[in-house]
Amino acid sequence: MTSHPLTTPTSTDAIEQSIDAALDALESAVQAEVESPTPAPPPKAPMRLGQRLLGDNLVSAEDLSRALEIQAKRGMKLGETLLEMGVATEDDLLPHIAAQLGVPALKLREGLIDPIVVRTLDRVFCERHGVLALFNVRGVLTIALDDPNDLDRLDLVERTTGLRVAPIFAFRTSIERMIARAYEDDFQVDSVTADMDESAVELQADITDVDLTAVQDMVGGSPVVNLVNYLILQAIRRSASDIHIEPSRKHGIVRFRIDGQLVEMIRPRRDIYPAVVSRIKVMAKLDIAEQRKPQDGRCQVVVDGKEVDLRVSTLPTVIGEKVVMRVLDKQRLTFNLDELGIPPRQLGDIKQMLARPYGLVLVTGPTGCGKTTTLYSALELIKSIHTNLVTVEDPVEYQIELVNQVQVDSFRDLTFASALRSILRQDPDVIMIGEIRDAETAKVAVQAALTGHLVLSTLHTNDSAGAVTRMVDMGVEPYKLAAALVGVVAQRLVRMICPHCRTQHYAPAELLETLHYKGDFNRKFSRGEGCRSCYDTGFRGRIGVYEVLLADAELRRMVARDAMADTLRDWIREAGLPTLLDGGLDLASREVTSLDEVARVTLFD
């Protein structure tokens, strides 16, 4: 039996020779492994954007297939294609694009861009190469572009600026939109909020502790003036009806009411908030030193060549004054009944009411439903050089030629009722009362309608039947109301579906039953998914729905008998008159609005 040399050595030399031979063999094996390594398993291919979106159920296979076809034809990126189709939103796409590219992905908005740094690159360069400078931190310039791996563009920006560049992804359309915005003159206003530091501002429990001298000095500074001008400009351009400027513990909050819904726009620093409020007070000729009492005022501005009235209201809260500015842009409105979207049958009934020489016409609905616009449109229709029209309003929102408008003033004891009595001594033909709020005004209005005047007014009730019973509840005798009433117009404003993110769906049977829908339950209806154009609401613009109740002999007999609201509603349905719900369902059937919006606006039982 032969012994192994390493286990049964015969001499020292033999042992050394054996060790050397083993080491040589090991070295040769290692060298061979290095020169001819065992093939590693191939790396996994990165998951494509479409696969990521399908995996998270953010797009359907059909939408993805259609997007890929459009992408192939037009040479667009898939993300941009899905965005343009309205299939997915930026918020849906950006996290997946960031994971795919390995760089941050950002939804561009004005508060993220330093208005000074953005001009590191000139506008022509940015438009040509599709880049936008955002901010500069310790000599590193962060830029947005739609392909952060484009080394040629990154190198060009570095050579142009002399700075190191950190790229982030943003959609090309967003970059183009922000380039157009960032190089406008009024974009400098964002320097006020660019360096916001929330922790540097402490809660001011009592706004009266603010140094008024310091506030007035700040008001004179251009950043505060520019910020207020910027807010007004943006509100008008975005068709906002109100600007809400309110304090919070760490910063201010500015919200616009667009299509009846509040949308947050920016958050100014808390330390400049008192100066912003004071600037608005100066514009509205309010007392800048009075911060414990509500104040009301108004001013007029010229924006984009047109005059716009602003109605300003301040309200003291526990952490500062809240300001609301009502934007009264007459050029954005129409005071033409034919252009309000009233269906032909109901429009004919309204015009028939307005043709009467005397009587009471009521327009009813909640605050912000367009009652004032309807009344002003009625005045525009019937005014003439041969007619004396007088109004009493609180406040007068729009001034109309050939109409004598009186504003209620509680400090001078000029109420609706007292003003109405004075108006009756002015030989009026038509009287418009902004709102019937109390029994005295209701009784004087009915008496005026019975004595040869056409009286137009508003009430806050749910529908036309409710308006009749509300007048009786205020103390008007039913027989007098029956004799005076010409008709009632109830109205609402429903939001229209955004055309950029419109999609179709099958409505739940429960919703259709709740809405008393009589059509095909298997048909598709439309709704908005939410996109950049509509601030993720799914709606853009509003249209009216109307319920017109023209008083005839039968209705007058019912009113004289003091009929209940439910009895009147049953009579309206039996007579086949279109209700608010009918109007809303008609708009939903024509895919102008959504069923959910119809339910929100017209279901009030």
Side-chain angles (χ1 to χ4, degrees):
M1 181 175 178
T2 305
S3 299
H4 194 283
L6 289 181
T7 58
T8 56
T10 57
S11 66
T12 303
D13 291 340
I15 293 172
E16 290 178 351
Q17 289 174 3
S18 298
I19 292 173
D20 289 341
L23 291 173
D24 289 342
L26 179 63
E27 183 177 352
S28 298
V30 172
Q31 183 66 28
E33 181 70 20
V34 171
E35 292 176 355
S36 303
T38 301
K44 279 188 175 182
M47 188 180 294
R48 294 179 177 275
L49 177 61
Q51 295 172 316
R52 293 175 182 273
L53 298 174
L54 278 176
D56 279 3
N57 295 320
L58 293 175
V59 299
S60 66
E62 294 80 5
D63 287 336
L64 180 60
S65 176
R66 189 157 50 94
L68 291 172
E69 291 177 5
I70 296 173
Q71 178 191 15
K73 290 179 182 177
R74 300 174 57 181
M76 298 172 61
K77 297 179 184 296
L78 178 59
E80 292 278 4
T81 304
L82 292 170
L83 204 61
E84 184 177 290
M85 290 170 58
V87 172
T89 66
E90 283 195 51
D91 292 331
D92 293 334
L93 296 170
L94 289 175
H96 294 281
I97 293 175
Q100 185 184 37
L101 298 178
V103 297
L106 192 65
K107 184 176 182 179
L108 295 182
R109 56 184 177 84
E110 292 165 356
L112 295 173
I113 302 173
D114 188 322
I116 298 176
V117 173
V118 74
R119 296 176 186 268
T120 304
L121 297 170
D122 64 62
R123 179 170 185 166
V124 174
F125 180 94
C126 292
E127 291 175 340
R128 181 181 303 156
H129 300 289
V131 299
L132 183 68
L134 304 181
F135 41 84
N136 184 341
V137 179
R138 298 185 181 91
V140 177
L141 180 67
T142 298
I143 65 169
L145 67 167
D146 64 342
D147 185 1
N149 295 322
D150 187 342
L151 299 181
D152 290 337
R153 267 196 286 178
L154 298 179
D155 185 57
L156 179 61
V157 174
E158 286 188 342
R159 292 200 310 270
T160 303
T161 62
L163 299 170
R164 289 189 297 127
V165 169
I168 66 165
F169 172 84
F171 286 107
R172 184 67 178 241
T173 52
S174 295
I175 293 171
E176 292 172 350
R177 173 174 52 82
M178 288 308 301
I179 289 174
R181 177 74 189 94
Y183 289 90
E184 293 180 2
D185 293 337
D186 61 1
F187 192 76
Q188 288 293 333
V189 69
D190 290 316
S191 62
V192 174
T193 59
D195 59 345
M196 181 189 302
D197 182 7
E198 296 182 350
S199 63
V201 180
E202 297 296 328
L203 171 66
Q204 297 182 9
D206 190 348
I207 195 66
T208 57
D209 291 339
V210 174
D211 184 353
L212 287 178
T213 304
V215 169
Q216 291 173 6
D217 291 341
M218 289 179 69
V219 169
S222 60
V224 173
V225 174
N226 287 343
L227 176 58
V228 174
N229 291 345
Y230 169 73
L231 294 177
I232 295 171
L233 175 69
Q234 292 302 313
I236 293 170
R237 286 181 175 177
R238 299 182 187 193
S239 301
S241 61
D242 300 88
I243 306 171
H244 288 243
I245 304 171
E246 49 201 6
S248 68
R249 296 183 179 274
K250 293 185 177 180
H251 43 66
I253 301 174
V254 178
R255 298 187 291 174
F256 291 172
R257 189 175 293 280
I258 301 174
D259 295 334
Q261 301 292 311
L262 285 173
V263 179
E264 183 176 324
M265 305 306 295
I266 64 172
R267 295 188 172 189
R269 293 199 323 256
R270 184 66 172 89
D271 58 342
I272 69 163
Y273 182 83
V276 172
V277 173
S278 296
R279 168 60 185 169
I280 296 171
K281 284 183 172 182
V282 169
M283 294 174 62
K285 296 181 175 60
L286 302 179
D287 186 354
I288 190 176
E290 179 55 73
Q291 299 172 336
R292 296 182 179 180
K293 295 180 181 179
Q295 297 186 66
D296 294 296
R298 65 190 308 154
C299 62
Q300 190 176 71
V301 296
V302 178
V303 177
D304 293 335
K306 60 183 179 182
E307 293 183 354
V308 177
D309 288 332
L310 301 174
R311 207 171 70 206
V312 179
S313 172
T314 69
L315 181 71
T317 73
V318 293
I319 56 174
E321 286 184 285
K322 172 180 169 62
V323 178
V324 175
M325 291 191 285
R326 170 65 57 90
V327 181
L328 303 173
D329 183 2
K330 186 175 181 179
Q331 295 185 26
R332 184 167 55 88
L333 297 176
T334 175
F335 292 145
N336 186 334
L337 274 177
D338 295 323
E339 297 177 5
L340 294 183
I342 305 174
R345 174 182 173 182
Q346 295 173 317
L347 180 61
D349 288 343
I350 293 174
K351 289 184 175 180
Q352 186 177 338
M353 296 179 192
L354 299 175
R356 294 286 295 272
Y358 60 87
L360 177 65
V361 177
L362 296 174
V363 180
T364 186
T367 300
C369 72
K371 298 188 299 295
T372 301
T373 300
T374 300
L375 284 181
Y376 279 2
S377 300
L379 292 179
E380 286 283 0
L381 178 68
I382 61 181
K383 73 177 185 182
S384 75
I385 197 67
H386 306 293
T387 306
N388 179 20
L389 283 77
V390 187
T391 74
V392 51
E393 306 171 60
D394 183 21
V396 174
E397 293 192 357
Y398 299 98
Q399 297 182 18
I400 305 177
E401 293 291 331
L402 293 178
V403 178
N404 304 287
Q405 297 171 271
V406 179
Q407 181 158 313
V408 168
D409 188 344
S410 57
F411 292 104
R412 293 184 294 165
D413 197 29
L414 185 60
T415 63
F416 278 111
S418 62
L420 188 50
R421 287 193 177 90
S422 299
I423 289 171
L424 290 172
R425 295 191 288 270
Q426 290 285 314
D427 186 30
D429 296 297
V430 180
I431 303 170
M432 189 198 90
I433 307 170
E435 181 184 349
I436 295 178
R437 297 177 179 174
D438 52 50
E440 186 180 10
T441 306
K443 292 177 180 178
V444 176
V446 170
Q447 193 60 38
L450 290 171
T451 54
H453 308 90
L454 181 61
V455 179
L456 315 177
S457 189
T458 70
L459 279 175
H460 286 110
T461 62
N462 286 331
D463 57 5
S464 55
V468 174
T469 56
R470 176 66 57 83
M471 292 292 289
V472 175
D473 291 342
M474 285 184 176
V476 177
E477 291 85 350
Y479 72 92
K480 285 188 177 180
L481 180 61
L485 187 65
V486 170
V488 183
V489 179
Q491 66 181 73
R492 297 288 190 281
L493 290 177
V494 296
R495 294 176 293 172
M496 296 188 291
I497 298 170
C498 174
H500 301 285
C501 60
R502 178 191 301 274
T503 186
Q504 290 190 319
H505 71 110
Y506 291 101
E510 296 82 2
L511 177 60
L512 294 174
E513 290 171 358
T514 301
L515 292 170
H516 305 291
Y517 180 68
K518 304 300 183 185
D520 181 8
F521 275 42
N522 295 319
R523 62 156 293 176
K524 286 186 177 181
F525 291 88
S526 289
R527 66 184 175 191
E529 290 293 325
C531 64
R532 295 170 296 174
S533 298
C534 61
Y535 306 99
D536 294 322
T537 63
F539 298 98
R540 191 170 183 182
R542 290 189 291 178
I543 189 171
V545 290
Y546 301 87
E547 178 180 298
V548 179
L549 182 59
L550 185 62
D552 60 8
E554 178 61 25
L555 179 63
R556 294 181 193 280
R557 282 194 292 270
M558 295 177 66
V559 173
R561 292 196 299 264
D562 194 10
M564 302 295 291
D566 288 340
T567 304
L568 294 174
R569 293 187 185 105
D570 292 339
W571 180 83
I572 290 172
R573 282 192 289 268
E574 291 171 3
L577 299 177
T579 64
L580 290 169
L581 180 57
D582 293 332
L585 288 174
D586 177 64
L587 292 176
S589 298
R590 293 191 282 122
E591 301 185 359
V592 176
T593 190
S594 69
L595 287 172
D596 289 332
E597 178 71 359
V598 173
R600 182 186 72 86
V601 171
T602 63
L603 292 182
F604 39 79
D605 289 338

